[in-house]
Amino acid sequence: MTINIPATVGMSVEDIDTPCLLVELDAFERNVAKLAKFIKDNGLRHRAHAKTHKSSDIAIYQIEKGGACGVCCQKVSEAEALVSAGIRDVLVSNEVVSPKKIERLAALATRARVIVCVDDLDNVDDLSAGAQKYGATIECLVEIDVGAGRCGVTPGEPAVKIAKKIHAAPGLRFSGLQAYQGKAQHAYDYAERKALIKAAIEETANTIQLLKAEGLDCDIVAGAGTGTFEMEGTSGVYNELQCGSYIFMDADYQRVKDGNGKFISEFENSLFIYTSVMSKTKADKAICDAGLKAQSVDSGMPVIYGRTDVEYIKCSDEHGVINDPHNVLRLNEKLKLVPSHCDPTVNVYDWYVAVRNGRVEALWPVTARGMTL
Amino acid sequence: MTINIPATVGMSVEDIDTPCLLVELDAFERNVAKLAKFIKDNGLRHRAHAKTHKSSDIAIYQIEKGGACGVCCQKVSEAEALVSAGIRDVLVSNEVVSPKKIERLAALATRARVIVCVDDLDNVDDLSAGAQKYGATIECLVEIDVGAGRCGVTPGEPAVKIAKKIHAAPGLRFSGLQAYQGKAQHAYDYAERKALIKAAIEETANTIQLLKAEGLDCDIVAGAGTGTFEMEGTSGVYNELQCGSYIFMDADYQRVKDGNGKFISEFENSLFIYTSVMSKTKADKAICDAGLKAQSVDSGMPVIYGRTDVEYIKCSDEHGVINDPHNVLRLNEKLKLVPSHCDPTVNVYDWYVAVRNGRVEALWPVTARGMTL
């Protein structure tokens, strides 16, 4: 709806309506370039994770300027939105098991390269039937659980069994392994993260060997997120990374330090919740207009960017409470919040306001906002 | 986007795509009727809070069938969406202080009765200028902080000062007090809740007397939510209630018990996140398709409705992890989750799937979904 658009192109940042999502383009572009260099230097592919941004503008930028070979997403409806925007190489890095979603996935595979994850033998039959119905080929990665305890079969023989069934199934193609260690990404301690990924790499390498013994090659060995990509990327085992948050960063990812105690790869904050003080009746507090409906607080409160004198301490549906011990904030004053968790925060917005040098350069729709199906 | 619609009218509940929001119409209608009876029995007005549902279908139902005199909402953009849907009596139960939002509010006041909250003297000048520019009248409630520690001025003289300025300002009308005790709503303990509201009632009554001494009558004395409305509603002080969550209830509100240890007014769960098991590779766990992007977890994890044998224990962006100690869940099995907090959960969805007797009766758009401005 037009009535909820927070800015117009060319406008000064000060004039943007709040709360809204800001992307600082210079920082965003430096983040994209930094990962592109790592990928190139290490002879890898990067399948950029669109679950973070849900934006066709950003996905196309990552492919055209950031060296990405294609995108990942987590939902069939996200894949549909991205294919409709012209992207022709999409991995749904998740299982697709319901009859309706399998139909949609198969239909989509007639319009683009479509890859999906599989962790169930019966699901192979269903995907095969869907693909045949649409005359499509669906590429499949067997997802192995390398420690996250979520989706995925046990590495080794259980994975091989599914791979063989995929290989034999009409309409499907066995393309490799999905081996994402989700639990490791936000392990703040470097040594702990390293140990978790070491185990994941070993289990993945072992499964690749077992598959090879059955004559099954893995074109794709996929995984890795922003917290650990340097580990998988230099393993000699993984060949396709799936980083998402690196473009934006968030308060939680900034608690994840590298081996030198620095932010991972020195990625910069480029995503902010822009908010205004909308009530100032107390000397030591200010109320801002970004509450629970302007973010996800699953990973804690947002951090006020560039300020140590004020602190965002709690929130309710439409309000954030800011400690203002020196009584410096004024009504209508604007602040930039670093979201605690970027992915689910982006998901509540319709627009990114992309800014550079204090001006609005572009408005990007959150193309797949709310695409849960 | 049409590709994200989870159901069609007439469909069996079993065939609805997931994750999505279900409204069980029988329970929803009983909740609306229960509050309507209380309002009528106590000679009150009810201004239904649309911040909970953001739906013009539900707002119109509350007015036409549930005895509501109009609606509240928290954002100007929500008010615009509701007025566009035909609602002609809207309170923005929040401060509106930015120049752009004041313009929009004033323009809206030419199309409907528009009421807003005020807690700042300078804001009175800005609202007055806006109203005069559009030849509109904006009604104003002085918001007093009766214990929530959020917006609102101190009760008593500071409130009177603002009221007098509103009364004298061209284009504005002083209509009364906003005295909502937000902190009390989710106080689980009945005695604690009772004490908080007793204090709020006293401060409100005192402010009304001071206003009366200045010749200022309060047409509206507003406040109360689902957790406490019986207290304000029988106080003889408040005359306009603002309940929102009572139509749906949620897991957190069900921890708020009445004086007899029962759910408040015995409102029923009518809102659910419908979810499917999408991975089942472990004997003691199942993974469902409703994670952080399908809800807000600020008040904890959702509760699986009608089941004691399985438990939703944690989630990541697109996955929920369910403990399944007896290994009873199967792939594609559907479950109904009671959201932990209904308002911000609704805000991530585009549609309500309204069901009765196992069939889809209607699809309601979440009209003001994502309206943060």
Side-chain angles (χ1 to χ4, degrees):
Chain A
M1 300 196 38
T2 54
I3 58 179
N4 206 37
I5 299 179
T8 51
V9 170
M11 179 182 269
S12 159
V13 168
E14 262 307 303
D15 294 332
I16 297 170
D17 209 355
T18 63
C20 74
L21 275 188
L22 288 191
V23 176
E24 288 282 357
L25 285 169
D26 286 341
F28 164 81
E29 292 172 3
R30 282 193 293 268
N31 288 343
V32 172
K34 219 167 263 176
L35 188 67
K37 183 175 183 308
F38 176 86
I39 295 293
K40 200 177 167 196
D41 289 351
N42 288 277
L44 301 161
R45 285 190 300 270
H46 179 224
R47 183 175 290 282
H49 219 313
K51 76 188 265 289
T52 298
H53 55 69
K54 290 176 169 270
S55 154
S56 55
D57 291 272
I58 294 178
I60 289 167
Y61 182 84
Q62 289 173 302
I63 292 169
E64 293 185 349
K65 304 287 174 79
C69 64
V71 297
C72 312
C73 60
Q74 291 291 88
K75 298 284 184 171
V76 176
S77 52
E78 289 178 327
E80 289 170 329
L82 293 165
V83 169
S84 290
I87 291 162
R88 289 290 167 263
D89 194 339
V90 180
L91 162 62
V92 179
S93 49
N94 205 358
E95 282 65 30
V96 175
V97 299
S98 85
K100 260 179 232 194
K101 291 191 179 83
I102 290 173
E103 287 252 348
R104 287 164 64 167
L105 190 78
L108 199 67
T110 65
R111 299 168 57 199
R113 180 186 186 196
V114 168
I115 320 171
V116 71
C117 293
V118 181
D119 71 3
D120 181 83
L121 281 165
D122 291 341
N123 185 220
V124 177
D125 297 323
D126 296 341
L127 288 167
S128 174
Q132 290 177 78
K133 178 171 170 185
Y134 284 85
T137 299
I138 300 174
E139 293 188 41
C140 299
L141 304 182
V142 175
E143 180 165 10
I144 53 176
D145 180 356
V146 290
R150 213 165 53 186
C151 303
V153 285
T154 308
E157 287 304 340
V160 173
K161 202 167 166 188
I162 298 178
K164 285 168 76 173
K165 186 164 179 182
I166 292 166
H167 182 65
L172 305 186
R173 179 176 185 275
F174 172 71
S175 295
L177 294 176
Q178 171 76 7
Y180 175 64
Q181 219 303 12
K183 198 187 272 178
Q185 303 308 315
H186 289 261
Y188 300 158
D189 180 62
Y190 180 75
E192 181 193 350
R193 218 155 66 245
K194 188 96 184 159
L196 290 169
I197 296 301
K198 184 167 177 281
I201 291 168
E202 280 167 14
E203 300 208 273
T204 305
N206 173 44
T207 307
I208 292 169
Q209 287 311 312
L210 291 175
L211 288 164
K212 202 184 280 282
E214 298 283 344
L216 292 171
D217 285 327
C218 293
D219 289 345
I220 299 173
V221 180
T226 297
T228 65
F229 72 92
E230 288 161 317
M231 303 174 190
E232 289 97 332
T234 53
S235 67
V237 173
Y238 287 70
N239 61 15
E240 197 167 294
L241 309 190
Q242 302 176 330
C243 302
S245 304
Y246 77 103
I247 57 170
F248 293 149
M249 294 302 283
D250 58 31
D252 199 66
Y253 256 127
Q254 287 197 316
R255 296 179 193 113
V256 179
K257 298 294 195 300
D258 70 11
N260 304 312
K262 291 184 181 171
F263 295 155
I264 331 153
S265 294
E266 300 182 358
F267 290 127
E268 301 167 61
N269 288 121
S270 72
L271 183 79
F272 303 95
I273 302 163
Y274 204 38
T275 186
S276 301
V277 174
M278 45 76 63
S279 178
K280 179 66 188 161
T281 62
K282 290 148 185 87
D284 61 347
K285 267 188 195 169
I287 309 299
C288 76
D289 60 8
L292 288 170
K293 292 181 191 167
Q295 65 192 311
S296 178
V297 298
D298 63 274
S299 302
M301 291 299 119
V303 171
I304 304 179
Y305 185 71
R307 301 284 293 250
T308 53
D309 55 338
V310 290
E311 186 186 9
Y312 189 111
I313 54 164
K314 61 181 178 178
C315 60
S316 49
D317 285 350
E318 287 87 5
H319 299 110
V321 178
I322 297 174
N323 259 352
D324 179 17
H326 312 295
N327 199 10
V328 293
L329 294 176
R330 293 293 164 261
L331 213 56
N332 278 319
E333 185 166 344
K334 286 174 175 166
L335 298 165
K336 286 160 71 175
L337 308 177
V338 179
S340 63
H341 188 176
C342 56
D343 302 35
T345 293
V346 164
N347 190 48
V348 299
Y349 287 94
D350 292 307
W351 297 96
Y352 292 100
V353 183
V355 304
R356 196 188 317 262
N357 300 327
R359 293 258 153 215
V360 176
E361 186 167 307
L363 281 162
W364 294 334
V366 185
T367 326
R369 202 271 327 139
M371 299 268 168
T372 54
L373 301 182
Chain B
M1 301 197 35
T2 54
I3 59 178
N4 206 37
I5 299 179
T8 50
V9 170
M11 180 182 268
S12 160
V13 169
E14 262 305 303
D15 294 331
I16 296 170
D17 208 355
T18 64
C20 73
L21 275 188
L22 289 189
V23 176
E24 288 282 357
L25 286 168
D26 285 342
F28 164 82
E29 291 172 3
R30 282 192 294 268
N31 288 342
V32 171
K34 219 167 264 180
L35 189 67
K37 183 175 185 306
F38 176 86
I39 294 294
K40 200 177 169 196
D41 290 351
N42 289 277
L44 301 161
R45 286 190 299 271
H46 179 224
R47 183 175 291 281
H49 220 313
K51 76 188 266 290
T52 298
H53 55 68
K54 289 177 171 268
S55 154
S56 55
D57 291 271
I58 294 177
I60 289 166
Y61 182 84
Q62 288 173 305
I63 291 169
E64 293 185 349
K65 304 288 175 79
C69 65
V71 297
C72 312
C73 60
Q74 291 291 88
K75 298 283 182 170
V76 176
S77 53
E78 288 178 328
E80 288 170 330
L82 293 164
V83 169
S84 290
I87 290 162
R88 290 289 167 262
D89 194 339
V90 180
L91 161 62
V92 180
S93 49
N94 205 359
E95 283 64 29
V96 175
V97 298
S98 86
K100 260 178 233 194
K101 291 191 179 85
I102 290 173
E103 286 252 348
R104 288 164 63 167
L105 190 78
L108 199 68
T110 65
R111 300 168 58 198
R113 180 187 186 195
V114 168
I115 320 169
V116 71
C117 293
V118 181
D119 71 2
D120 181 83
L121 282 166
D122 291 342
N123 185 219
V124 176
D125 297 322
D126 296 341
L127 288 167
S128 173
Q132 290 176 79
K133 178 171 170 186
Y134 284 85
T137 299
I138 300 174
E139 293 188 42
C140 298
L141 304 183
V142 175
E143 180 165 10
I144 53 176
D145 181 356
V146 289
R150 214 165 51 186
C151 304
V153 285
T154 308
E157 287 304 341
V160 174
K161 204 166 163 190
I162 297 179
K164 284 168 78 174
K165 186 164 179 182
I166 292 167
H167 182 65
L172 304 186
R173 179 177 186 277
F174 171 72
S175 296
L177 293 176
Q178 170 77 6
Y180 176 64
Q181 219 304 13
K183 199 187 272 181
Q185 302 308 315
H186 289 261
Y188 300 159
D189 179 63
Y190 180 75
E192 181 192 351
R193 219 155 65 245
K194 188 97 184 160
L196 290 169
I197 296 300
K198 184 167 176 282
I201 291 167
E202 280 166 15
E203 300 208 273
T204 304
N206 173 44
T207 307
I208 291 169
Q209 286 312 312
L210 291 175
L211 287 164
K212 202 183 282 280
E214 298 283 343
L216 292 170
D217 285 327
C218 293
D219 289 346
I220 298 174
V221 180
T226 298
T228 66
F229 73 92
E230 289 161 319
M231 303 174 189
E232 290 97 332
T234 53
S235 66
V237 173
Y238 287 70
N239 62 16
E240 197 166 294
L241 309 190
Q242 302 176 331
C243 303
S245 304
Y246 76 102
I247 57 170
F248 293 149
M249 294 302 283
D250 57 32
D252 199 66
Y253 255 127
Q254 288 195 316
R255 296 178 193 115
V256 179
K257 298 295 196 301
D258 71 11
N260 304 312
K262 291 184 182 171
F263 295 153
I264 331 152
S265 294
E266 300 181 0
F267 290 127
E268 302 166 61
N269 287 121
S270 72
L271 182 78
F272 303 94
I273 302 163
Y274 204 37
T275 186
S276 301
V277 174
M278 46 75 63
S279 178
K280 180 65 186 161
T281 61
K282 292 149 184 85
D284 61 347
K285 267 189 195 169
I287 309 300
C288 76
D289 60 9
L292 288 171
K293 292 180 190 167
Q295 65 192 312
S296 178
V297 297
D298 63 276
S299 302
M301 292 299 119
V303 171
I304 303 178
Y305 185 72
R307 301 284 293 251
T308 53
D309 55 339
V310 289
E311 186 187 7
Y312 189 111
I313 53 163
K314 61 181 179 178
C315 61
S316 49
D317 285 350
E318 287 87 4
H319 299 110
V321 178
I322 297 173
N323 260 352
D324 180 16
H326 312 295
N327 199 9
V328 293
L329 294 176
R330 293 292 164 259
L331 213 57
N332 279 318
E333 184 164 345
K334 286 174 176 165
L335 298 165
K336 286 161 70 176
L337 308 177
V338 179
S340 63
H341 188 176
C342 56
D343 302 36
T345 293
V346 164
N347 189 47
V348 300
Y349 287 94
D350 293 306
W351 297 97
Y352 292 100
V353 182
V355 303
R356 197 189 313 264
N357 299 328
R359 294 257 155 215
V360 177
E361 186 166 306
L363 280 162
W364 293 334
V366 184
T367 325
R369 203 268 330 138
M371 300 268 168
T372 54
L373 300 182

